[in-house]
Amino acid sequence: MKKIILIIFVLFGSYSSLNAHGSKVSSFFLAESTPGVWNIQVNASMAAFQYEYLAFNDKKSLENIAPDEFKKWIITHLKQEIDVIVNGKKITFGEGYVKPAHETLVKILLNDMPKDIKSISVTNKSLINGIPNHKSYLKIIREGNYSEMFPLSFKNNYSTHLEYSLGKLKLKGTTSNTDYFYYSLFSGFVVLTILIISVFYIKRKKSTS
C-alpha cells in the first residue's frame, strides 16, 4: 500500500519538475519596478540563448563572439521577437541589461506605458528557433501584485491577450488556460486516487483485524 502511494507521489512530482526546469522553459515578466516605470524580464538558461544564436549563426561564430557582443545580440534579438501591445497600442523598447549566468536574466525598459491599463497583448517568439516547442510563462507584476501565469507556446502561437476584469487580468474572450486546466485536472485525479486507495486499505484492515 505504501509503495503504491509513494509511486503516485513520485509520478506527480516528476510531472511538476518536467514543467518547471530545463532549456525548454523560460519565465517572462512584464513588471512595473517603480510607479510608471515598466520593463520586460526574461529568465532563461544560458543554453537556451546559445541555441537561439546558433539558429541564425554558425558554431564558430558563437565560440568567437565576445561576451559584450553576445549580450548586445540577446537584447537586439529579444526586441525583434517580442511584442507588447497595451490598450491597442504597440509599446516601444528602451535600454536593455543582461546578467549572464547558468540562469540568465535579461531586462529591457518599456517606453510610454499608459497609467490606465485596460488590456495587454503579448507575443514572445524569442527562444523558439533554437529549441523546438520552447514554452515561456508570462506573469504581470504591478504594485506588488502578481497575476496568474499565462503559458506562451505553439498552442497559442506564443501569444496571449489579456484584459482587466474586476481588477484582475484574465484571458480575453473565450480562450481558456488549457495548460493549467489539465494540470488541475491531473492534480485532482491524483488526490482522489489516493483517498480511494486509503479508504479501501483502512476498510480492508478493519475487516481482517
Side-chain angles (χ1 to χ4, degrees):
M1 174 61 191
K2 290 181 179 179
K3 288 183 178 179
I4 294 174
I5 294 176
L6 180 61
I7 289 170
I8 292 172
F9 275 114
V10 168
L11 289 173
F12 181 62
S14 299
Y15 178 84
S16 301
S17 297
L18 285 171
N19 284 278
H21 302 288
S23 298
K24 289 191 174 183
V25 179
S26 61
S27 299
F28 182 33
F29 298 92
L30 184 62
E32 186 178 29
S33 53
T34 58
V37 179
W38 286 80
N39 59 74
I40 60 170
Q41 178 176 316
V42 177
N43 294 75
S45 67
M46 176 57 73
F49 288 108
Q50 290 172 338
Y51 283 130
E52 188 69 12
Y53 181 87
L54 288 173
F56 300 94
N57 304 275
D58 57 36
K59 187 177 180 181
K60 187 175 181 180
S61 174
L62 177 62
E63 292 172 351
N64 294 330
I65 191 170
D68 286 345
E69 290 300 314
F70 188 59
K71 290 179 186 179
K72 290 179 182 178
W73 181 88
I74 290 174
I75 292 170
T76 300
H77 182 69
L78 292 185
K79 287 181 178 181
Q80 291 173 344
E81 299 295 332
I82 293 174
D83 285 327
V84 178
I85 298 172
V86 179
N87 298 346
K89 179 183 177 182
K90 187 173 181 177
I91 303 300
T92 59
F93 297 112
E95 295 182 354
Y97 165 81
V98 179
K99 184 179 180 182
H102 176 69
E103 185 72 16
T104 298
L105 165 68
V106 185
K107 285 187 176 181
I108 301 176
L109 188 67
L110 292 175
N111 296 325
D112 304 321
M113 282 287 286
K115 292 182 179 179
D116 183 19
I117 297 175
K118 297 177 180 178
S119 65
I120 299 174
S121 296
V122 175
T123 300
N124 180 13
K125 296 185 178 182
S126 61
L127 294 171
I128 68 172
N129 298 286
I131 303 176
N133 298 326
H134 183 89
K135 179 186 293 183
S136 63
Y137 287 94
L138 170 69
K139 262 184 177 289
I140 313 295
I141 306 172
R142 190 177 193 188
E143 298 175 344
N145 296 318
Y146 288 69
S147 73
E148 64 179 280
M149 288 195 296
F150 302 97
L152 305 176
S153 69
F154 72 95
K155 293 180 181 179
N156 55 15
N157 198 28
Y158 305 95
S159 300
T160 191
H161 308 286
L162 311 172
E163 60 184 3
Y164 273 100
S165 176
L166 300 176
K168 291 186 177 182
L169 278 170
K170 300 291 183 182
L171 286 168
K172 191 174 182 179
T174 57
T175 305
S176 61
N177 193 333
T178 54
D179 280 13
Y180 282 88
F181 170 76
Y182 288 116
Y183 185 86
S184 301
L185 191 64
F186 179 81
S187 303
F189 172 76
V190 169
V191 172
L192 182 61
T193 302
I194 292 171
L195 287 174
I196 292 172
I197 294 174
S198 299
V199 170
F200 175 78
Y201 177 75
I202 292 169
K203 286 184 177 181
R204 186 175 180 182
K205 189 174 181 180
K206 284 182 178 180
S207 64
T208 56
S209 60

